């Protein structure tokens, strides 16, 4: 039980307010709750579940600069997209395509952005410490689910509650700033 609680609490506190939670929130504003939740959870499951060992190997094969660069580009792209995207009236076919795109976007951006991230590294360390893969994975995955669910719920509902506030634009601006901070850490070697 100690391994489960320790894993849950460590990952939950590491993920709350993290850039990934901001990404999930922003994507939920654009694509809705379900595709983002499902894409995010699949990415987390592959990175922190059976794929944690693969993720560790990939993270060691790729340079941290490359991983940060791709992550920064993803944030910049989606931030600019949210800032400059014009709202359209969606018909049913467009909604189906948007949900599918939302799933793929959430999955790919979180999978790439989380490679070598603190939550993945924390999961690996917890697995090594407790040597109870299923218990540690369960605690880590539940923590990631809770953090993701909070961001998805807020992102998909906040626009309905407060419709006059341009959350997509604000979120896009924050994502662009996050991208520039990520690039700054690459060029100046600072840790943010």
């Amino acid at each position: 039980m100690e391994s489960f609680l320790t894993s849950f609490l460590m990952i939950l506190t590491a993920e709350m307010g993290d850039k990934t939670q901001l990404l999930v929130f922003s994507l939920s504003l654009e694509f809705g709750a379900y595709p983002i939740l499902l894409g995010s959870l699949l990415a987390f499951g592959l990175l922190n579940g059976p794929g944690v060992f693969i993720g560790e190997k990939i993270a060691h094969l790729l340079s941290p600069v490359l991983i940060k660069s791709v992550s920064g580009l993803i944030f910049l792209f989606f931030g600019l997209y949210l800032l400059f995207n014009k709202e359209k009236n969606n018909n049913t076919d467009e909604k189906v395509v948007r949900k599918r795109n939302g799933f793929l976007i959430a999955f790919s951006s979180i999978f790439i952005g989380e490679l070598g991230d603190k939550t993945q590294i924390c999961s690996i360390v917890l697995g090594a410490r407790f040597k109870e893969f299923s218990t540690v994975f369960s605690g880590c995955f539940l923590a990631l689910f809770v953090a993701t669910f909070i961001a998805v719920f807020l992102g998909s509902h906040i626009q309905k509650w407060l419709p006059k506030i341009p959350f997509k634009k604000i979120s896009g601006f924050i994502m662009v700033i996050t991208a520039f901070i990520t690039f700054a850490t690459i060029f100046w070697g600072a840790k943010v």
Side-chain angles (χ1 to χ4, degrees):
M1 190 63 160
E2 177 193 359
S3 59
F4 176 82
L5 287 175
T6 302
S7 300
F8 176 78
L9 293 173
M10 284 186 72
I11 297 296
L12 184 63
T13 55
E15 197 62 29
M16 293 304 286
D18 188 54
K19 67 181 189 256
T20 307
Q21 199 177 34
L22 173 65
L23 178 64
V24 168
F25 173 81
S26 302
L27 291 174
S28 296
L29 284 169
E30 183 65 23
F31 296 103
Y34 295 113
I36 303 307
L37 183 63
L38 294 175
S40 301
L41 293 178
L42 179 60
F44 284 134
L46 288 176
L47 285 171
N48 293 297
V52 94
F53 301 109
I54 296 169
E56 179 186 18
K57 300 298 181 214
I58 291 172
H60 290 302
L61 292 175
L62 300 176
S63 77
V65 171
L66 177 63
I67 293 171
K68 274 188 173 183
S69 298
V70 170
S71 178
L73 287 172
I74 288 170
F75 272 91
L76 183 62
F77 174 77
F78 288 116
L80 292 173
Y81 175 79
L82 288 172
L83 280 172
F84 297 109
N85 183 36
K86 304 238 183 203
E87 292 292 321
K88 301 182 226 172
N89 292 332
N90 291 333
N91 62 29
T92 307
D93 292 338
E94 282 184 39
K95 286 181 182 177
V96 169
V97 170
R98 286 172 51 84
K99 285 187 179 194
R100 188 172 3 132
N101 289 344
F103 173 84
L104 293 173
I105 289 168
F107 172 77
S108 59
S109 58
I110 288 173
F111 190 86
I112 292 169
E114 286 291 304
L115 281 175
D117 191 55
K118 67 181 177 283
T119 52
Q120 186 189 27
I121 292 167
C122 192
S123 298
I124 294 167
V125 170
L126 288 165
R129 176 180 171 203
F130 291 110
K131 297 178 181 80
E132 298 176 14
F133 180 79
S134 60
T135 309
V136 171
F137 170 70
S138 299
C140 292
F141 192 77
L142 182 60
L144 291 166
F145 174 80
V146 169
T148 303
F149 182 80
I150 290 168
V152 164
F153 178 79
L154 290 175
S156 63
H157 287 86
I158 202 162
Q159 199 74 36
K160 296 172 192 167
W161 297 331
L162 304 167
K164 300 248 186 261
I165 299 173
F167 285 105
K168 288 182 185 178
K169 303 293 184 201
I170 293 168
S171 186
F173 179 73
I174 292 170
M175 289 179 80
V176 169
I177 297 296
T178 303
F180 284 116
I181 290 171
T182 302
F183 294 137
T185 64
I186 294 169
F187 295 121
W188 289 296
K191 289 192 176 193
V192 177

